[in-house]
Amino acid sequence: MARRSSADPLTRSFFLSSGSDIRGFTPFRFSVEPVDTLAVRGLPAVLNCLAASDAPVRVEWKKDGTFLNLVADDRKQQLADGSLLISAVVHSKHNKPDEGVYQCVATIDNLGTISSRTARLTVAGLPRFLSQPEGVSVCSGGTEMLSCEVTEELVPFTRWERDGRPVELDGRVIQLPSGALVISNGSQSDAGLYRCTIDALGPAKTTDEAELQVSADSGVEEKLETLQGPVAVAKVFGESVLLPCVMKGYPLPVIRWTFNDRPIDESRERFAVIGGGSLQIINLTEEDAGIYVCQANSGNMTSEIQAELTVHVPPRFLTRPSNTYAQESMDIIFECDVTGSLPLTVKWMKDGDTVIPSDYFRMKQHNLQVLGLVKSDEGFYQCLAENDAGNVQASAQLIILDLDVALPSLTDATTDHVASSPSERNDPTPSAPRDVVASLVSTRFIKLTWRLPAEPHGENITYSVFYSLEGTNRERVENTSGPGEMLVTIQNLVPDTKYTFRVVASNANGPGESSTPLTVATQLEVQVPGPAPNLQVVSVSTASVTLSWERPMTGNAEIQTYRLFYSEKGRDSEQDMDVTGLSYTMTGLKRFTEYSFRVVAYNKHGPGISTEDVVVRTLSDVPSAPPQNLTLEVLNSTSIMVRWQTPPAGTLNGELTGYKLRYRKGLRRADAMEISTTQLFQLIEGLEKGKMYTVRVSASTVNGSGPTTEWIAAETFENDLDESQVPGVPSSLHVRPLVNRIVVSWTPPENQDVLVRGYKIGYGIGSPHAHTVTLDYKQRFYSIDNLDPSSHYVITLKAFNNMGEGIPIYNSATTRPQSDPIDADIDFYELFNNPYTPAPDPTPMLPPVGVQATVLSHDTVKVSWADNSLAKNQKITDSRYYTIRWKTNIPANTKYKTANTTTLFHTVTALKPNTLYEFSVMVTKSRRSIPSSAPKDVTVISKEGNPRIININWQPPTEANGKITGYIIYYSTDVNAEVHDWVVEPVVGNRLTHQIQGLTLDTAYYFKIQARNSKGMGPMSDAAQFHTPKAEPSDKMSSDQVYWKRAACKSSTGSHKYKSSSKDLKPPDLWIHHERLELKPMDKSPEPNPVMTETPIPRTTQDPAAEPSHQRRGHEVEESVSTLAGRRGVRPKMMMPLDSQPPQQSVRNQAPAPEPLVAPSQPCTTAELQKTEALIKEEEPPSMNPLTAHVRPTHPLKSFAVPTVTVSAHNQPTYETALPSTPLLAQPVPGVKIASIGTLNRARALMAVTVPSAPDQSETSTMLDTTYETDELSEEMAHLEGLMKDLNAITTD
């Protein structure tokens, strides 16, 4: 493969040793270049230029790219050093001959030309003042400003005088970039008459005198006022800048500066705060660019103003082009690496003329590549770089050596020299290579071969192939890849083009003779059509364009068709159509829309080369839709503010030129007034008091006005608003947190009769007093920017007028985490639709309003509020609740305390006396659903000492979606059984443990748990397996308790799973048990009124619990155990109220004296129940139907129970009974099931239980305080035995 010659061009400048025949480089540069100049009309101006060289230099000047004819211009002359002198600058409104861009051009005859950097000459305007300073008064020690408003170019010529004498400027008295004079820390010596003067522009011009009065410190608080704040400014690297911050008020404001949210260290050498608060930075660097914020604090008033400083860095060379030696036909590269502020442009010049890129002059990044050097390429090349901050230039010289002259080489940089001249050598060089032929010719490359020269004169012969386009003298060279190689492939040629080749052999003595030129033509490609020339697209109407083009100049076959491709600008999809002619008119396009067109010609070989895309926009039209969201705001009795939004996107149909607003008095047709504006608002003034006005608006383009909005009406006030009192509290405050900002919106105070002049927003992390922003009264939303992610901000809003500030309203928000995606730009109107309407929409959740705190005592405060999202009667009908938050600022680090309530007031107690507290209220509306996940970490363990009892434990679900109100435990011996065949154990409340008794020994059980909240049941957990032990402990039986049972006939259709003493024996479908009675001393009871939830039902005659009854009762208080339906292995036939608190079935049994127990077979006992209390709490039905296992309909008398008596051998004076928490079934009632809660030998009062078929029915039943005699209890037992007989008959049938 061919490679470049090892004799690469030199890229370093050097000097030649004496005696060399090689011409050395000529030193040639600008030691002085022109700079930007501000000239004064009528006065002389000088642009400096000095070119340094050993040879004579001729200097000329260009203005705006054209050489000046100094001979014909008597006002301009060139000085001896080359500088340009304009004797008297001419400048007028219509004649500006001297203003423009100048450039100095230096030439050394027969050698080359270089150009200087460009410089702009600007002429200052006429000295005039845009406004006059006004007299002011400043208190002693305060700050004041006197304005001197002039155009920007006149500021350097302004100065101030006091009482006719120049004002001396220092760190206390400064002049701002605008020309204004600032006097800080004022004293009596500053009093006097001040005037602003413009000098050096002819006769001095002065303003009127303005008196500055200095008054004594009155001690009266003055409002914080901004006289001059910082504004965005751009400066050049190395310059100085003054950022003004002039504030006045009392107490005297304290001013601090921050840079990119960090305090500025004023002790830094380049930074200084002067003039009472303005920031001066000298010798600017790139790192000084950023956001500067001036923060002023005056007592309880604060203000912040921010501005951005931009620092432009002029271009600077990292690598300059170097002087270069080369030979003809070589390729060289001039390097030029430049840095500076973007946008940065680089161009190249040769001998003062711009280099135009071509096949032989190529721009790669900032470098210039010259291919196939010829003698005329010699000269000076310049790299010129330019940006907004300035321009620079650097030059290098190119010398082309003859082919018989060896290129010089460099040694040490300090001893640059060249090798001896080739003319001193007498050794022979090779003769011409023989038989040069093109062994392979293609469309884009040619392979050449040749034979060794007849006289090589040495070994290690290398070859160079020179080639050029036929008819040109600019050759390029390609070298063989190694000594002795006699072939080379020339790439990147043009098809069907003739090239001329010649080969030169070289030995150690240099290049030899050239071969005879060989002309070869590349092959003709099978050509598809080239691009269609001169594609033009012209808009002819609002929906059509006309395209035209010419026949492709390349392509060796007849054009069959043209395919026209087009697409709407900004869309990826492209459409096409075939056209036979050389023009086409396309219709049906969108109005005033950009389209991209291109054309591809087809011949028999296929599609050709596409044209470049041509973009054209269809003609404009009138808007096709009216402006959006027209609103009217009555400001006072004689003016209305009208606001609107632009028409919807895609409906303007042209460049918007403005809006036409028409308004009329009354609702009927009347003469309408018309106003034209380019703003999105218009203030209509001079209206009549108490009159109705209607307004409509239309948008306009250059084609005319579009459709108008509907007439919108508003009535002016009968009287002007009151400003004798401060405004009320804003009626609402809304916040929307984003990642780095919070968007705030609000509605005005409800009392619209009080004038509001503006709003103040305070915000900060944990405190709303860190930052304050003052806004106009028209504003209804604001974006608080530059906030920290994932931070809790407190926000306050208050309205103010000339009487003072009103009561604030508070809110808070937490910004979103940094990991959230960046939000798109916010459409504030869509975010806060109709922000000027004070009545909020009752549908969405709104912050509470009208928060009031009433002191009830030295440590108690009642907080009340209103909720605008409720109905007018303020009745709460949904699941919302309110969070009250309060704290005191003493000490400052006190944390907030909170409380929740579902009412519109809350009493806060245990406060510190004589202390200021801050209260805020937030509303939360539950939008949660059923639990999304199942309870986790389900574990089952056997109870110590009793293998028939297990304790099951679990953890709440990860996604509870609200408060957990209960759990359902399912267990079975068959893990694959249907869910309705599992035994069900309900657990009320949020308990995380439960005890199940009476399990069968040596049996595998499977357990699942399901959580519930107020919305319904969640998913089941995975089955947890537990295998009961094979045998009971030897001391399991106890002599102090005896169990027995009554068996009813078994149901022939029972298909459920039951607890049993045998795995193989299925127990009857219906068991009727006597409840167990525990006899315990009252003084050993853990609590007086325990909630009874345990009713152990034995399955055999063995004792299910080895521990004494008083110990077991302690567990009953701590744990929720099996309900009756669960222990009998029968599915419950009614809904358990799991989303409410546990049923408060508190039973207190009191007997005046101990009575002997009756025999177990007797249906009654002498123990008498004195009092029973039970409360069924009303609840809202769940939003989803429970599982079939809970509500599967069965016969209403399928299951019920009668008490069982447990006989104790101990005589105890007081008795308590453990009652079941599961209601027992009694006679059915349509829509309602009646449950009878059994107690000791009697039935409790009936209570209604709501079933799922009647979800809207909810009743509350309270157990009555009733005294039952023994006869009544016996009668009840007889009644139950009768029901049992009836049930036996039903089940038998």
Side-chain angles (χ1 to χ4, degrees), residues 185-207:
N185 193 18
S187 63
Q188 285 297 332
S189 61
D190 297 320
L193 298 175
Y194 287 78
R195 66 181 183 181
C196 182
T197 302
I198 299 178
D199 281 338
L201 297 179
K205 189 174 183 65
T206 62
T207 63

Side-chain angles (χ1 to χ4, degrees), residues 716-850:
T716 55
F717 298 142
E718 291 287 350
N719 298 294
D720 287 327
L721 299 181
D722 178 25
E723 203 174 5
S724 62
Q725 56 181 316
V726 298
V729 61
S731 55
S732 69
L733 175 61
H734 314 267
V735 295
R736 180 187 178 185
L738 303 173
V739 177
N740 295 112
R741 56 176 171 161
I742 297 177
V743 182
V744 183
S745 67
W746 61 90
T747 51
E750 293 182 356
N751 186 358
Q752 300 281 309
D753 296 331
V754 179
L755 179 64
V756 175
R757 294 194 177 272
Y759 295 91
K760 291 187 178 181
I761 294 178
Y763 65 95
I765 298 178
S767 171
H769 308 299
H771 308 280
T772 301
V773 179
T774 301
L775 302 173
D776 190 75
Y777 75 96
K778 301 183 292 295
Q779 202 148 346
R780 294 295 182 269
F781 52 80
Y782 181 74
S783 177
I784 306 175
D785 298 329
N786 302 319
L787 303 181
D788 297 331
S790 303
S791 301
H792 187 78
Y793 284 85
V794 180
I795 302 169
T796 181
L797 172 74
K798 50 190 172 183
F800 68 88
N801 57 19
N802 290 335
M803 290 299 295
E805 299 174 353
I807 301 174
I809 184 174
Y810 292 85
N811 207 333
S812 64
T814 301
T815 51
R816 289 159 46 189
Q818 189 69 49
S819 59
D820 280 11
I822 296 199
D823 299 283
D825 292 337
I826 295 177
D827 186 337
F828 283 100
Y829 194 91
E830 292 183 3
L831 185 62
F832 309 114
N833 192 13
N834 198 12
Y836 306 101
T837 303
D841 184 1
T843 302
M845 297 296 293
L846 299 176
V849 298

Side-chain angles (χ1 to χ4, degrees), residues 73 185 594 698 897 949 967 1051 1063 1071 1085 1147 1170 1180:
D73 193 341
N185 193 18
E594 280 191 342
S698 63
K897 295 184 178 180
I949 301 177
Y967 295 89
S1051 172
K1063 292 183 290 184
W1071 293 93
S1085 176
V1147 181
Q1170 297 291 334
E1180 180 184 349

